[in-house]
Amino acid sequence: QRIVRGRQDAIAEVWQYSREVAHYCRQIAEQLPDVNPDEAYLVGLLHRLGSLPELLGWNWPPRSVLDSAWAGLTLAKSWLLPSCVVEFFSELCAPGDAVVWPGMVSAAHQLVRTPLERRSSARPLRRPPASNPVVVISRLAP
């Protein structure tokens, strides 16, 4: 019971953080000419996809940044997720290729970590509303 509750808390924390990253990815994309804000939101929302095996207790290869990127790419491809998500994980796995998505996610991470009074934007930044991540993520399990 305690392990399940701890896992749910970890999933909720990752989901909330991912929603904040997604929020800022969309705002960044709205300022760029060739980036679809909806795709940017989706990439931000699913940027931690590779951590799902660990979060859900699946038997998966050892934990490292590369394994997490590989896991995300494998899941994105096997679940037929949109190409922007597959591209994000492909770019993480093959440094040197175009890095539009990882750069955007990195910038969004910085905005999430930056105190509100230091953020600059053309319009006020709003925090995304909370939701229940456990229900959403549990539906994704293979």
Side-chain angles (χ1 to χ4, degrees):
Q1 183 84 350
R2 178 181 281 168
I3 293 173
V4 171
R5 182 65 183 149
R7 186 171 286 153
Q8 289 176 343
D9 291 345
I11 292 169
E13 186 177 314
V14 166
W15 185 251
Q16 181 58 34
Y17 186 79
S18 294
R19 290 184 75 243
E20 290 183 46
V21 169
H23 173 76
Y24 293 117
C25 281
R26 175 176 292 186
Q27 286 193 341
I28 293 166
E30 287 172 348
Q31 299 173 21
L32 300 173
D34 297 327
V35 181
N36 181 316
D38 292 332
E39 288 182 350
Y41 184 86
L42 191 56
V43 167
L45 190 64
L46 297 176
H47 82 281
R48 291 288 310 271
L49 182 64
S51 68
L52 268 184
E54 180 183 352
L55 285 171
L56 298 175
W58 298 347
N59 186 14
W60 204 260
R63 297 172 207 129
S64 76
V65 173
L66 183 58
D67 288 339
S68 179
W70 174 82
L73 180 60
T74 301
L75 292 173
K77 284 181 173 181
S78 66
W79 291 344
L80 303 174
L81 295 180
S83 62
C84 58
V85 177
V86 173
E87 288 168 8
F88 168 71
F89 287 107
S90 294
E91 291 171 357
L92 287 178
C93 288
D97 289 350
V99 289
V100 172
W101 296 120
M104 181 177 299
V105 169
S106 179
H109 277 286
Q110 293 303 313
L111 288 169
V112 170
R113 294 181 188 130
T114 303
L116 189 59
E117 60 275 3
R118 290 182 43 209
R119 294 182 191 149
S120 62
S121 179
R123 58 192 159 142
L125 300 178
R126 298 162 313 215
R127 290 296 229 195
S131 69
N132 185 348
V134 176
V135 173
V136 176
I137 291 176
S138 65
R139 292 181 186 155
L140 296 176

